[in-house]
């Protein structure tokens, strides 16, 4: 594996790590959602440090150049992250709907009670 | 005395809502049945809320727009809280004829059905105009529903429907967010509810435009077809979103 690619991967890993940790500290990112990105950082560093892993995987999967395998793995990782976000989004949509309904019903009942008290 | 609730979802219906409620209030009534109504104002941006307030209508305003599914579900939750025996979905735009209410709820009152769907096409006598594409779309969904759940529904998109107490409780917990009618019918059938289609009268829309325009119809067909298939292969015990919903 070219040394330049390995350096690039480590730089990329560092940038991601810094952005993720700064985001956590500024309360812009929850720990539970940061883990997947930190796993990505670790994976990048491991592969840059021990390119043999990639060569071994290339042989197993029959892929000719290591960079192709890295792109493939990167793509799969992004797909998994995006899919998990779609699921989180759906769950939150359901929760927002439930909250909206609950708040609206509470508000309706409070106003109704107020009107009744007013009438008496 | 049976308590019946009419659920009127209304999104920007300032031109229709008052007349719709007026028709309900002028309805001659059904023997031994108490008919109430609630307008679910789905975060309208026009004067729907102001009109309701001014005229003293029973109006529950959603603090933000949820879409037809979320609004109707709020009506079912309201029905659960109010202990209603039957809940009827009734469009706020004046499309549904209140005089068909006795026919619609008759099978439920007689204990012969848990859920009834008001159909425009059960008997050929009615004159409801519809485009060819719309009829093809409805036919397709009707076949798909029959295929996945053995449920025979002619008017799959009808929003004039009635539910008994058990069905109300089910729908308050599980209701799809957009284009909910066909999907919820399949879900009810799969959960073991008895569904019956009843001939009703409907009018052309008075004012305002329908929620489904041509641009949305492709998305509508794909989404609803997928929803029907998913609801069809869903196992009985697995109830959608049961973890987040409660009364």
């Amino acid at each position: 594996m070219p040394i330049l690619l390995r350096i690039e991967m480590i730089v990329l890993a560092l940038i991601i790590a810094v952005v993720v940790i700064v985001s956590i500290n500024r309360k812009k990112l929850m720990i539970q959602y940061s883990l997947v990105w930190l796993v990505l950082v670790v994976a990048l560093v491991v592969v840059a440090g021990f390119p043999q892993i990639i060569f071994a995987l290339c042989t197993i999967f029959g892929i000719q150049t290591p960079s192709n395998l890295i792109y493939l793995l990167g793509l799969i990782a992004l797909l998994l992250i995006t899919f998990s976000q779609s699921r989180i989004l759906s769950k939150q949509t359901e929760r927002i709907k439930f909250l909206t309904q609950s708040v609206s019903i509470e508000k309706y009942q409070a106003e109704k009670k107020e009107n009744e008290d007013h009438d008496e | 005395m049976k308590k019946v609730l009419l659920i009127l979802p209304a999104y920007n219906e300032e031109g229709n809502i008052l007349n719709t409620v007026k028709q309900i209030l002028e309805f001659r009534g059904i023997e031994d049945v108490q008919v109430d109504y609630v307008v679910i104002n789905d975060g309208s941006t026009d004067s729907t809320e102001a009109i309701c307030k001014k005229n003293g209508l029973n109006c529950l305003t959603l603090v933000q727009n949820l879409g037809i599914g979320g609004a109707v579900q709020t009506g079912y939750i309201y029905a659960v809280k109010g202990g209603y025996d039957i809940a009827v979905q009734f469009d706020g735009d004046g499309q549904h004829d209140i005089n068909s209410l006795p026919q619609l709820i008759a099978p439920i009152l007689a204990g012969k059905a848990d859920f009834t769907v008001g159909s425009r096409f059960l008997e050929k006598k009615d004159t409801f105009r519809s485009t060819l594409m719309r009829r093809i779309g409805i036919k397709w969904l009707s076949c798909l529903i029959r295929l996945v759940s053995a449920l025979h529904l002619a008017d799959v998109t009808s929003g004039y429907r009635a539910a008994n107490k058990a069905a109300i409780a089910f729908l308050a917990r599980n209701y799809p967010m957009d284009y909910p009618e066909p999907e919820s019918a399949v879900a009810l059938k799969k959960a073991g509810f008895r569904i019956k289609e009843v001939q009703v009268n409907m009018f052309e829309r008075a004012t305002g435009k329908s929620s489904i325009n041509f641009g949305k119809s492709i998305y509508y067909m794909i989404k609803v077809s997928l929803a029907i298939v998913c609801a069809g292969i869903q196992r009985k015990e697995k109830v959608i979103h049961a973890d987040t919903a409660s009364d």
Side-chain angles (χ1 to χ4, degrees), chain B residues 67-82:
Chain B
I68 182 71
V72 169
Q73 189 180 31
T74 309
Y76 280 115
I77 296 170
Y78 182 99
V80 169
K81 284 182 187 288

Side-chain angles (χ1 to χ4, degrees), chain A residues 94 96-97 100-101 104 108, chain B residues 58 62-64 70 73 78:
Chain A
E94 195 64 36
I96 291 169
K97 181 185 79 169
T100 304
Q101 290 172 331
S104 305
Y108 165 83
Chain B
N58 183 28
L62 296 176
V63 293
Q64 62 180 5
Q73 189 180 31
Y78 182 99

